[in-house]
Amino acid sequence: MDCNILLIEDDMHIGNLTKMFLEAEGYTVNWIEDGSMALNKIDSLKPDLVILDLMLPGKSGVDICREARAFYSGMIMVVTAAEDEMSEVSLFKLGADDYITKPVRGHILVARIEALMRRYKLVQEAEKSLYISDAYGIVVNSENQTAYYEQKPLNLTNSEFEILQLLIENKGKTVSREHCCRVVRGIEYSSYNRSIDMRISGLRKKLIQAEIYNAIIKTVRNQGYRLVKA
C-alpha cells in the first residue's frame, strides 16, 4: 500500500530498525529525532501518516500532536511506553487516530498502518466527492475553484466558474436565468438584466477555446440554459 510516513523517534536504535523495517515493506519513510523540528517537517512533507513518539527532546509528542491538528489532516499514530499515563481517551482528544505501545512488533505495526490507510483513503474519497463534479469530460472542484477538461485547466473568471459548476451539477436539465443570477455573485435578477447572458456567452467562448466540442450550453427560450452533450 502506497504511503508516505514521517517517523518522529529520538531513540536511534528503535528509529533505525523501524525505518528499515517499513522501507522493506515498501513504505517511504522520513525520520527525525528532535521534537522541535516536527511541526515544520509535518507541514513541509505533508505525509500520509505520522508515527509519533510521546517522549521527545525539544517538544513533546503531546504538544506536537495537538498543534499539528491546526493544519494537518493526515493520520497520526502515537507510540507510547507502557508506563505512560496518557489514557486512550486523552490521546484521541489530542488528535491521534491510533496508538501502539512499546516494544513495537513489526508485523503489528504494519497491520495497524494498513488499517489506518484504509480509513484515510475512505475519508479522502468521501471529501473528494463533496467537492468534485463532472460532465462530458469537464471537471470542476468547488474547494479550490478550478475547472479542467481532459486534465487541462480552463481559464475562467469567478462568475464563469460558478455558472459552469451550476450547469454541470444540473447536466441535461434546464437551469433558469433567475437561478443562475442567484448563484453568480454581484448580479441581481431582472428580466431586463442581460448580465447573465453576457457571462454565458463568455463561458461558451472559453469552452470553444479549450477545444471542448462534445458539450454545449443551449439556451432554452423563456426558461434558461442547459448543458448537454453535443
Side-chain angles (χ1 to χ4, degrees):
M1 185 179 293
D2 188 28
C3 175
N4 292 310
I5 297 173
L6 175 61
L7 172 64
I8 308 174
E9 169 63 66
D10 67 317
D11 186 298
M12 290 289 292
H13 179 68
I14 294 174
N16 191 47
L17 285 179
T18 303
K19 186 175 188 294
M20 288 176 60
F21 182 83
L22 292 178
E23 287 179 339
E25 291 291 322
Y27 296 107
T28 300
V29 182
N30 286 277
W31 170 30
I32 61 173
E33 304 162 44
D34 191 337
S36 63
M37 302 167 55
L39 294 174
N40 285 337
K41 279 292 184 182
I42 293 171
D43 191 32
S44 62
L45 293 176
K46 296 177 175 56
D48 301 307
L49 169 66
V50 174
I51 300 178
L52 175 64
D53 188 20
L54 284 184
M55 303 298 292
L56 293 166
K59 184 184 282 283
S60 73
V62 171
D63 290 338
I64 292 166
C65 190
R66 181 175 56 246
E67 293 174 31
R69 280 309 182 201
F71 61 87
Y72 175 66
S73 60
M75 292 294 181
I76 298 177
M77 178 189 290
V78 167
V79 180
T80 72
E83 63 270 16
D84 285 342
E85 295 181 358
M86 294 291 293
S87 68
E88 294 179 39
V89 173
S90 297
L91 290 171
F92 293 136
K93 282 185 175 180
L94 282 172
D97 298 286
D98 196 6
Y99 75 96
I100 192 167
T101 57
K102 295 179 180 179
V104 178
R105 287 175 288 176
H107 65 286
I108 299 295
L109 177 60
V110 169
R112 301 287 275 271
I113 290 172
E114 289 177 349
L116 279 179
M117 287 301 99
R118 285 194 293 270
R119 279 173 51 194
Y120 185 46
K121 288 190 175 182
L122 286 173
V123 170
Q124 284 185 312
E125 288 170 4
E127 289 179 346
K128 183 178 178 182
S129 67
L130 294 175
Y131 301 119
I132 303 297
S133 303
D134 66 273
Y136 316 118
I138 308 169
V139 179
V140 295
N141 186 326
S142 60
E143 183 180 29
N144 55 24
Q145 296 271 296
T146 55
Y148 294 83
Y149 177 69
E150 294 184 345
Q151 300 183 335
K152 297 177 183 177
L154 305 182
N155 183 24
L156 305 178
T157 64
N158 288 338
S159 58
E160 288 168 351
F161 175 86
E162 290 164 352
I163 294 169
L164 179 60
Q165 182 181 10
L166 178 63
L167 293 174
I168 284 177
E169 290 173 347
N170 294 275
K171 61 185 176 184
K173 301 176 183 177
T174 300
V175 180
S176 69
R177 294 180 72 254
E178 181 180 1
H179 193 177
C180 288
C181 289
R182 287 202 306 268
V183 167
V184 178
R185 289 162 289 185
I187 299 181
E188 291 186 12
Y189 175 69
S190 165
S191 58
Y192 303 104
N193 189 337
R194 312 314 298 177
S195 297
I196 193 67
D197 304 303
M198 293 171 60
R199 285 168 171 78
I200 289 285
S201 177
L203 178 56
R204 284 182 174 133
K205 291 176 182 177
K206 294 286 181 70
L207 298 185
I208 292 171
Q209 289 170 2
E211 300 181 342
I212 301 174
Y213 303 122
N214 63 333
I216 58 172
I217 301 172
K218 292 187 67 175
T219 298
V220 183
R221 187 175 177 81
N222 296 325
Q223 294 186 48
Y225 307 98
R226 182 188 303 166
L227 182 68
V228 298
K229 188 174 180 64

